[in-house]
Amino acid sequence: MTVTELVSYEDALASYDPVMGLEVHVELGTKTKMFCGCSTELGAEANSQTCPTCLGLPGSLPVVNAIGVESAIKIGLALHCEIAEWCRFARKNYFYPDMPKNFQTSQYDEPIAFNGYLDVQLEDGEVFRVEIERAHMEEDTGKSTHVGGATGRIHGAQHSLLDYNRAGIPLIEIVTKPIEGAGERAPEVAKAYVAELRELIKALGVSEARMEMGQMRCDVNLSLMPKGSETFGTRSETKNVNSLRSVERAARFEIQRHAAVLSSGGTVVQETRHFHEEDGSTTAGRIKDNAEDYRYFPEPDLVPVAPAREWVEELRKGLPELPRVRRNRLREDWGVSQHDMQSILNAGAVDLIVATIEAGADSAAARKWWMGELARRANEAGTELAELAITPAQVARVCALVAEGALNDKLARQVIEGVLAGEGEPDAVVEKRGLAVVSDDSALGAAVDEAIAANAAIADKIRAGKVAAAGALVGAVMKATRGQADAARVRELILERLGVEG
Ligand code: ADP
Ligand code: MG
Ligand code: ZN
């Protein structure tokens, strides 16, 4: 392979306009596979969830999973697509060891949903419309594990293991029309599109769409045309990019690489490429097959899918509020900036904050705890906010205890620590750890007197009118009470004792 010197991003964009096409595969969360009754549960022993149909044994017959079709229609509707009145499955023929039938049951020229769009919001709030070409139903392949080599890749391996548990799990493939006009923001658009699609899929409840688990993956097609030209260039297709950040980086890298090839007088090869997380680069995969090479033909063993219009309309009525619309509504309710809302979204905190508010917390407090202390702890533990061992109801209870003055922030952090450590509900932690704020004057009085006696010079200053110096005495009392004193009351008591007005 010849390593091409990349052109800088700015130079690339000065001479060329990028065109992108994004193909996203989503694994549906159905209980059973797309064409048989085998379980889709993850983590089972290899090949324990297979049957003659998903192993492609002679004489076996597939049957379509109705929930799979329903999910496809929901996705199509949420993407403003037309839903086919009648469509078929097709066989996409190719040989690959992890595909036991030697063809993938997919859809070709008759997808269930087509001609839609998804509006995506960029970081600065601008909305960019991505047009959808189609969303079609297909099935996943099995999984190969290459053993004995250094890299886990097939090259250098001694043997390969095949697990067909994943073979036949329903997939929806969503393909955009060529995305033009994004210019230098093309990588940002790609990332925002995948992020928005992921939110949408989750809101529809058809998949958890966890990219890190391969439940959602994106192929990034990219080409450049010289500025002013309207003819698309040759595209590369970077396969199976599996994080939002990687989608953005892959697009950016390909823009720079294509520009380098083109500006040195070379031609871009139509090929698939692999993305490398370590340095954000891509390397050549295989030369791209043409559709003819797959010898597509209609699947003879499955009846056509002809969803009744009443059913489609019923599904349309049941669609949830679109994530972008909901986000904008929440952003206004909460009075936060576009940027802050983006951080909340990126942290996966939107639903947690909503649930905390529903459990009675004030919105500012709910945001503060999830985006502050809890985000810090999730970060430390290397997990997602949603994985933390604390529920929105428990966070709401902590907020309530702070609001009624029973806890200050410092104590509240200890309560959260206790809940996360499995010590029980917030009230139980308060009780066990003895964490209540002390605001009772008789309990505080002694500590206040001691602080005054131990800091006579400061006390004199306050008596002489330098009220600001009271902070030092409040600090001393807080220290003596291990942070449990009600700081506002302590300050009042100090000023009272010293005979000055607050
Ligand atoms: P394939 O099966 O070969 O991947 P698809 O039609 O399924 O082909 O997907 C190709 C994707 O690339 C689509 O999103 C399409 O809009 C986009 N695309 C097509 N031509 C170009 C091009 N010249 N440059 C960038 N993207 C393109
Ligand atoms: Mg493709
Ligand atoms: Zn099966």
Side-chain angles (χ1 to χ4, degrees):
M1 195 193 75
T2 46
V3 180
T4 332
E5 196 70 27
L6 295 184
V7 166
S8 83
Y9 191 69
E10 290 68 30
D11 288 350
L13 269 302
S15 312
Y16 301 99
D17 283 325
V19 176
M20 281 190 308
L22 301 169
E23 298 168 76
V24 172
H25 285 90
V26 179
E27 236 178 49
L28 295 179
T30 53
K31 290 215 163 55
T32 57
K33 294 188 181 179
M34 192 65 193
F35 304 111
C36 64
C38 289
S39 168
T40 56
E41 185 117 8
L42 289 176
E45 192 194 335
N47 296 306
S48 62
Q49 293 164 346
T50 56
C51 72
T53 301
C54 57
L55 289 177
L57 300 187
S60 61
L61 284 173
V63 177
V64 177
N65 182 333
I67 305 290
V69 177
E70 181 180 281
S71 304
I73 296 175
K74 283 184 184 168
I75 292 173
L77 289 171
L79 292 172
H80 309 94
C81 287
E82 294 171 49
I83 305 300
E85 307 224 351
W86 188 94
C87 65
R88 278 184 298 192
F89 286 95
R91 290 189 182 185
K92 183 181 186 183
N93 297 280
Y94 61 104
F95 173 78
Y96 210 77
D98 61 17
M99 199 179 58
K101 299 188 292 191
N102 279 342
F103 62 83
Q104 180 189 31
T105 307
S106 180
Q107 293 195 287
Y108 180 47
D109 47 357
E110 300 164 321
I112 185 145
F114 49 94
N115 273 345
Y117 64 84
L118 180 63
D119 283 337
V120 304
Q121 205 154 8
L122 304 180
E123 301 251 343
D124 66 359
E126 195 194 311
V127 174
F128 191 98
R129 178 161 294 187
V130 175
E131 295 194 80
I132 307 292
E133 164 128 8
R134 56 195 273 147
H136 70 248
M137 301 178 279
E138 57 183 37
E139 58 179 337
D140 214 342
T141 57
K143 210 172 181 162
S144 318
T145 308
H146 306 296
V147 188
T151 59
R153 296 191 169 234
I154 195 162
H155 298 285
Q158 272 154 4
H159 62 276
S160 299
L161 297 171
L162 289 163
D163 176 7
Y164 292 120
N165 283 352
R166 198 178 69 181
I169 289 191
L171 291 180
I172 304 296
E173 177 172 346
I174 300 150
V175 183
T176 68
K177 293 187 178 166
I179 302 169
E180 298 178 67
E184 60 176 7
R185 304 178 83 177
E188 190 194 346
V189 168
K191 177 181 166 192
Y193 167 76
V194 178
E196 194 61 41
L197 190 55
R198 187 181 62 175
E199 291 302 306
L200 185 67
I201 299 285
K202 285 197 289 187
L204 292 170
V206 297
S207 168
E208 288 180 26
R210 293 177 64 164
M211 296 188 81
E212 73 283 7
M213 291 178 66
Q215 291 171 339
M216 181 165 171
R217 34 200 203 254
C218 179
D219 300 342
V220 180
N221 293 269
L222 191 128
S223 66
L224 295 182
M225 22 185 209
K227 272 206 177 311
S229 163
E230 308 225 313
T231 317
F232 290 174
T234 304
R235 68 182 154 115
S236 59
E237 181 178 356
T238 306
K239 302 291 282 182
N240 292 324
V241 185
N242 64 1
S243 76
L244 295 179
R245 178 160 175 264
S246 298
V247 167
E248 184 169 27
R249 292 170 86 203
R252 198 179 167 94
F253 183 89
E254 283 298 283
I255 288 174
Q256 292 179 260
R257 187 184 67 84
H258 281 232
V261 172
L262 295 172
S263 58
S264 66
T267 43
V268 172
V269 183
Q270 182 166 341
E271 64 191 356
T272 66
R273 296 187 67 88
H274 304 292
F275 178 72
H276 305 283
E277 296 283 344
E278 319 82 68
D279 60 357
S281 69
T282 68
T283 51
R286 62 184 161 87
I287 300 294
K288 186 71 188 177
D289 292 329
N290 290 317
E292 304 92 76
D293 298 326
Y294 291 122
R295 300 179 334 276
Y296 277 104
F297 65 85
E299 166 61 60
D301 287 343
L302 285 166
V303 292
V305 176
R309 293 298 97 177
E310 304 82 69
W311 184 36
V312 172
E313 288 318 307
E314 207 177 289
L315 292 175
R316 193 193 302 277
K317 274 193 228 123
L319 288 181
E321 184 181 25
L322 292 179
R324 189 178 61 82
V325 175
R326 173 169 181 259
R327 258 190 340 263
N328 283 335
R329 174 172 61 75
L330 292 173
R331 194 172 71 74
E332 287 191 4
D333 283 359
W334 299 348
V336 297
S337 68
Q338 191 73 47
H339 180 268
D340 286 350
M341 196 64 198
Q342 192 65 43
S343 311
I344 292 172
L345 178 70
N346 293 345
V350 177
D351 291 336
L352 295 167
I353 292 171
V354 168
T356 305
I357 295 169
E358 276 168 10
D362 162 72
S363 97
R367 286 200 312 277
K368 173 178 134 176
W369 290 107
W370 283 110
M371 294 304 289
E373 179 68 7
L374 290 163
R376 191 180 64 74
R377 287 187 174 269
N379 200 15
E380 261 173 28
T383 76
E384 301 289 315
L385 278 180
E387 312 286 323
L388 288 177
I390 190 165
T391 63
Q394 289 169 329
V395 175
R397 181 62 189 149
V398 171
C399 294
L401 290 170
V402 173
E404 71 197 29
L407 294 177
N408 54 29
D409 281 8
K410 184 165 178 236
L411 295 173
R413 278 195 289 276
Q414 295 180 47
V415 174
I416 286 172
E417 179 188 76
V419 174
L420 292 174
E423 291 169 30
E425 291 297 317
D427 291 276
V429 177
V430 167
E431 171 94 27
K432 275 186 224 156
R433 293 194 177 195
L435 292 178
V437 166
V438 180
S439 50
D440 160 7
D441 290 357
S442 58
L444 292 177
V448 167
D449 290 340
E450 269 168 40
I452 290 173
N455 299 280
I458 298 175
D460 285 341
K461 275 191 201 157
I462 299 170
R463 279 195 196 91
K466 205 164 171 259
V467 178
L473 293 188
V474 174
V477 175
M478 294 307 286
K479 202 167 166 202
T481 57
R482 298 192 348 271
Q484 289 187 229
D486 175 344
R489 185 64 196 139
V490 169
R491 186 183 156 85
E492 281 169 14
L493 286 175
I494 290 168
L495 297 182
E496 236 173 75
R497 292 276 205 284
L498 299 177
V500 274
E501 294 284 313

